[in-house]
Amino acid sequence: MTDRLQALSEAGVSIWLDDLSRELTETGALASLVVDDHVVGVTSNPTIFASAMKEGERYEGQLDELVGSDEQTTVADAIFELTTTDVREAAHILRGVWGETLGTDGRVSLEVDPTLAYDTDMTIATAKKLWDKVGEPNVFIKIPATREGLPAIAATIAEGISVNVTLLFSVDRYREVMDAYAYGLEQADANGIDLSSIYSVASVFVSRIDSEVDKRLDDIGTSEAVALKGKTGIANSRLAYAAYEEFFGSERWAALEAKGANRQRPLWASTGVKNPDYPDTMYVSELVAPGVVNTMPGATLKAFKDHGEVHGDTLTGTAEEAQQVLTSLAEVGVDYDDVMLTLESEGVEKFESSWADLVRTVQDQLTAARTRRG
């Protein structure tokens, strides 16, 4: 039987799982994915934690301890302790991969409170707090690529903290993210920090772009518009990859690389297909090149394992064709810049909503823990 995930890995794609729960870490399921399915990283977000904690039972013991040690434990305290514990345990499981890849993979990502997405100073402070609490070298702190997030990314990198830049949509914003990363490294170097110890990925979202653009194309309704459905997410990612090649081929980067700096790898996020009419592995097969990361929800990982195909490098040299897709969008009346602004705003709102759901879930569990104690 063909090992399709191994073929993807051998093509240079780092396979990460977009899921994290105590169920995965405590049952050995995550360890099995590492051994059997070539998974070399994990990403998490408020939605994932909210879903995991609704199951509740595996978190009861720690909640009881928190309530028992301090009756004034707040929901924020509990979320901080529960999520950092999950990330720490996953980091332990992936520590071997981290060592084997010399720090490139074996990473677990933990996001700052999304309600801080427009607060630079609090994002920086929270990133430091999370990094220190987890206390593992193979962790990424996730910071959103909002306008206010850019200086937070640079400042966090300057402190020697590895960062996963999230909620990234437009190619122009991606260029700003790479600039912020380089500036952070330059500041870290000035602070005497070993640049080889700092790593980063930039998470470019894919399927959400098609969802938004396809809706607008359906509203336009012409045959030319409808023919463009399902093409923008991949085209945008391919243009982002071209921007990546350009930036990391620059003289500025060469100077940093000479000092030991690591490239900020592009990571394809939101790779679960939302339209059932599309192939369920298209956001994996069509975004392959050496040195990229693809973080997949469990269903997408299973789908690729079952029937995914690797066609070699599907990113290098594709910028011209990808740009034609964006040109055609403009010709039928889709405003690309407005799409990207909408997605960023809605992305923050969705994560804030998930965070509120997480707060409600943990509040209920804290109440239950206090009832058990009483």
Side-chain angles (χ1 to χ4, degrees), residues 81-336:
E81 295 293 335
L82 295 170
T83 57
T84 54
T85 296
D86 278 1
V87 168
R88 187 183 302 110
E89 291 306 309
H92 290 166
I93 293 168
L94 286 159
R95 190 66 178 269
V97 175
W98 178 79
E100 291 166 7
T101 61
L102 303 179
T104 300
D105 283 311
R107 298 277 173 174
V108 185
S109 296
L110 175 61
E111 187 160 353
V112 298
D113 178 345
T115 63
L116 306 176
Y118 303 117
D119 187 330
T120 301
D121 292 340
M122 282 300 296
T123 294
I124 296 168
T126 304
K128 291 178 183 178
K129 186 179 178 183
L130 291 171
W131 176 264
D132 290 341
K133 178 64 176 179
V134 177
E136 298 295 334
N138 54 323
V139 168
F140 276 135
I141 303 302
K142 293 177 76 174
I143 298 176
T146 57
R147 178 67 58 191
E148 295 81 2
L150 295 172
I153 292 162
T156 305
I157 291 292
E159 294 283 341
I161 297 172
S162 294
V163 173
N164 175 344
V165 180
T166 189
L167 279 180
L168 179 53
F169 296 98
S170 77
V171 177
D172 284 345
R173 181 57 56 83
Y174 180 37
R175 290 192 178 95
E176 292 176 320
V177 164
M178 290 185 285
D179 180 74
Y181 176 57
Y183 180 71
L185 288 173
E186 289 159 355
Q187 295 303 303
D189 182 51
N191 294 336
I193 297 174
D194 177 10
L195 299 190
S196 68
S197 68
I198 304 171
Y199 289 79
S200 184
V201 293
S203 298
V204 180
F205 281 48
V206 190
S207 67
R208 289 193 193 183
I209 294 175
D210 276 336
S211 295
E212 178 64 27
V213 171
D214 286 2
K215 180 174 63 177
R216 299 186 185 206
L217 291 170
D218 280 334
D219 288 343
I220 293 167
T222 64
S223 58
E224 292 84 1
V226 173
L228 291 169
K229 289 178 64 177
K231 296 182 178 181
T232 312
I234 290 170
N236 188 71
S237 296
R238 287 174 169 173
L239 289 171
Y241 185 76
Y244 159 80
E245 289 186 303
E246 179 184 0
F247 187 89
F248 289 100
S250 67
E251 291 184 6
R252 182 187 186 186
W253 179 252
L256 286 166
E257 196 167 45
K259 296 180 179 180
N262 302 291
R263 290 190 175 199
Q264 182 188 58
R265 294 184 295 165
L267 178 153
W268 313 124
S270 180
T271 56
V273 173
K274 293 178 172 57
N275 186 332
D277 294 336
Y278 300 156
D280 56 3
T281 59
M282 64 185 260
Y283 297 128
V284 182
S285 295
E286 299 302 321
L287 298 174
V288 173
V292 303
V293 182
N294 195 305
T295 186
M296 309 176 210
T300 303
L301 185 74
K302 290 177 183 177
F304 199 91
K305 181 178 182 178
D306 179 69
H307 53 266
E309 296 182 1
V310 178
H311 307 294
D313 187 339
T314 50
L315 285 169
T316 305
T318 60
E320 185 175 345
E321 181 182 353
Q323 183 58 55
Q324 183 55 52
V325 172
L326 266 60
T327 300
S328 297
L329 285 176
E331 290 172 349
V332 299
V334 173
D335 186 334
Y336 170 86

